[in-house]
Amino acid sequence: MRYLIPILITFCFISCNDASKAPEKTFFSQEKARVLQKAEEYIDLKPITVTATISERSTGGIHDFYSEGDYWWPDPKNPEGPYIRKDGMTNPDNFTAHREAMIRLSQICGALASAYRVSGDEKYVTAILPHLNAWFVDEATLMNPNLLYGQAIMGRVTGRGIGIIDTIHLMEVAKAISAIETSETVSKTDIKKLTDWFATYLDWIFTHEYGIAERDNGNNHSVCWALQASVFADLIGDEEVKAYCRNMYKTALLPEQMAENGSFPLELERTKPYGYSLFTLDAMTALCQELSTPKDNLFTFSTPEGKGIEKGLAFLYPYVKDKSTWPYKEDVMFWEEWPVKHSSFLFGGLALRNEAYLDLWKSLDADYDNPEVVRNMPIRYPLLWVD
């Protein structure tokens, strides 16, 4: 059950209902104009799937998603040997075509499904279906429902559990399917074929050794595993998985990854502490958005030590509002590109009725195009996340 924003009962001179819904109305109005514009940009684009480009370095087949570890480089002392790691330094010669195609799919589906939600115009559903069919149904072009070859490292591994983070860009594709499933343009049979693909993939990340390794990784990767599992489970109606992820958030993610001041120490230790902190906060807040219920509000939940997403938002808020006050080291790459329109302050602002967070979200840039930023911003269409 997606999070339903509670209506606060207040006593004032204006209508209680009007007052409580004002932030949602402002958010809806701002997003409506943006998604309709984006949808028109994407409406005539043709599908591009993993079968359009093949890497000679992949040990998989034409239907297998392939990517390479971002921070792995040729060893200057042994150019033909195994790659070496340079944390935070993205190798520009990596194969990225499949990731780019998946991000493109997410952008297209997110925009078209959001436009359908705000307008009810079936033309957006008609436009989205060829992309969904090409990626998940058509046997000539579909992607296999696993990530056996994600984030490979030359000379070391043909794939890793860490690669599962690449499919965070399928979350808004899953959300898009949910948004159009009652459309008169799409049949129940079509929806069933799509949800079957996601059910198979969800089972794979739960049971394969790569999925288990990613779940237990211990930093933002574990958060993103739980977020993906929650979103895919919501699409297929798997309440057991959602309950598992809700418990994981309370008993593992918060206690093990958040400090008592609301920071994320594992991310602050990285060479890009600012960007990684923002990324983790976005993912954790989205997890709260996805899994909260009227009886179990994760936005207000805290551990016995007082750790909770309210502290996470409060910790990063001043450094997003004014990055010059950031007291830690600067990111080794892309420092100037952050912050952008982070969903954490929208979701947190709506759930906690915090106008300062909402004002900050409204002020941030939604038209970013740097590939590194786009890669780390999987939540681009919040209309798909907010009821």
Side-chain angles (χ1 to χ4, degrees):
M1 178 73 68
R2 287 182 291 270
Y3 180 67
L4 298 177
I5 300 168
I7 298 178
L8 302 178
I9 301 176
T10 60
F11 295 94
C12 52
F13 292 107
I14 60 177
S15 165
C16 293
N17 286 337
D18 287 347
S20 66
K21 292 185 178 180
E24 288 90 334
K25 288 181 178 179
T26 302
F27 152 67
F28 180 86
S29 176
Q30 184 176 2
E31 277 296 288
K32 180 178 180 179
R34 185 180 76 91
V35 301
L36 290 175
Q37 178 183 345
K38 287 292 183 183
E40 292 306 313
E41 293 177 17
Y42 297 145
I43 197 166
D44 294 322
L45 295 182
K46 304 302 180 185
I48 297 175
T49 78
V50 294
T51 60
T53 311
I54 302 172
S55 171
E56 61 182 15
R57 297 193 290 271
S58 173
T59 57
I62 190 173
H63 296 283
D64 291 310
F65 180 96
Y66 177 72
S67 64
E68 294 175 323
D70 294 276
Y71 306 145
W72 292 84
W73 296 68
D75 185 350
K77 297 179 180 179
N78 183 16
E80 301 302 319
Y83 276 20
I84 60 174
R85 190 168 187 264
K86 300 180 182 180
D87 187 37
M89 304 298 293
T90 301
N91 184 344
D93 296 325
N94 280 347
F95 179 84
T96 58
H98 288 175
R99 181 188 289 162
E100 290 166 4
M102 185 176 286
I103 290 173
R104 177 181 184 268
L105 171 71
S106 178
Q107 291 171 321
I108 292 169
C109 290
L112 293 174
S114 296
Y116 174 66
R117 284 202 70 182
V118 301
S119 71
D121 194 328
E122 295 289 333
K123 72 177 183 179
Y124 298 117
V125 182
T126 300
I128 203 174
L129 288 178
H131 297 276
L132 296 175
N133 184 69
W135 272 85
F136 308 114
V137 180
D138 189 334
E139 293 185 0
T141 57
L142 61 72
M143 170 186 160
N144 285 334
N146 63 64
L147 234 68
L148 289 170
Y149 308 98
Q151 296 215 17
I153 304 170
M154 287 297 296
R156 295 183 181 272
V157 291
T158 58
R160 300 181 292 162
I162 280 177
I164 291 171
I165 201 168
D166 284 342
T167 51
I168 55 174
H169 297 289
L170 290 182
M171 294 191 303
E172 291 198 334
V173 177
K175 290 286 185 186
I177 295 170
S178 294
I180 68 169
E181 63 182 346
T182 59
S183 161
E184 63 186 30
T185 302
V186 61
S187 69
K188 291 183 179 179
T189 300
D190 291 334
I191 295 295
K192 180 65 164 54
K193 290 177 181 178
L194 297 170
T195 56
D196 281 351
W197 190 99
F198 279 91
T200 302
Y201 184 62
L202 178 60
D203 180 71
W204 185 83
I205 67 172
F206 248 89
T207 59
H208 192 273
E209 61 179 296
Y210 286 1
I212 295 170
E214 181 74 338
R215 181 197 67 194
D216 299 338
N217 188 282
N219 61 4
N220 64 80
H221 283 265
S222 295
V223 182
C224 289
W225 182 94
L227 180 56
Q228 290 185 69
S230 300
V231 171
F232 303 153
D234 188 58
L235 172 64
I236 67 173
D238 193 327
E239 292 299 324
E240 184 177 347
V241 167
K242 291 171 66 176
Y244 177 93
C245 294
R246 197 175 289 115
N247 183 65
M248 181 179 174
Y249 171 78
K250 294 178 178 180
T251 63
L253 298 179
L254 269 181
E256 296 172 9
Q257 296 197 36
M258 181 179 283
E260 291 186 12
N261 68 348
S263 67
F264 301 107
L266 294 174
E267 311 306 336
L268 292 177
E269 293 172 359
R270 303 291 297 275
T271 59
K272 294 191 288 191
Y274 187 71
Y276 272 118
S277 292
L278 291 170
F279 178 74
T280 301
L281 181 66
D282 280 348
M284 274 207 183
T285 310
L287 197 57
C288 295
Q289 179 71 19
E290 184 65 21
L291 294 177
S292 288
T293 70
K295 294 183 179 180
D296 193 0
N297 185 353
L298 298 187
F299 282 98
T300 56
F301 170 83
S302 62
T303 68
E305 299 77 27
K307 299 176 182 179
I309 205 64
E310 287 186 88
K311 276 194 174 179
L313 288 161
F315 174 80
L316 273 175
Y317 170 78
Y319 308 130
V320 176
K321 187 175 182 180
D322 183 0
K323 187 170 65 174
S324 68
T325 63
W326 178 247
Y328 306 93
K329 60 187 177 183
E330 295 185 3
D331 295 3
V332 294
M333 295 182 73
F334 309 108
W335 167 253
E336 297 299 332
E337 303 295 332
W338 301 106
V340 293
K341 212 170 189 70
H342 296 281
S343 59
S344 50
F345 292 100
L346 171 66
F347 296 157
L350 290 173
L352 301 172
R353 315 303 294 182
N354 188 311
E355 291 289 345
Y357 292 166
L358 293 172
D359 288 342
L360 177 61
W361 177 81
K362 293 172 194 174
S363 71
L364 296 170
D365 182 18
D367 296 322
Y368 48 87
D369 57 7
N370 180 281
E372 178 74 5
V373 174
V374 172
R375 180 172 76 87
N376 288 290
M377 288 291 293
I379 301 172
R380 307 178 189 91
Y381 294 98
L383 281 171
L384 298 176
W385 297 75
V386 177
D387 285 330

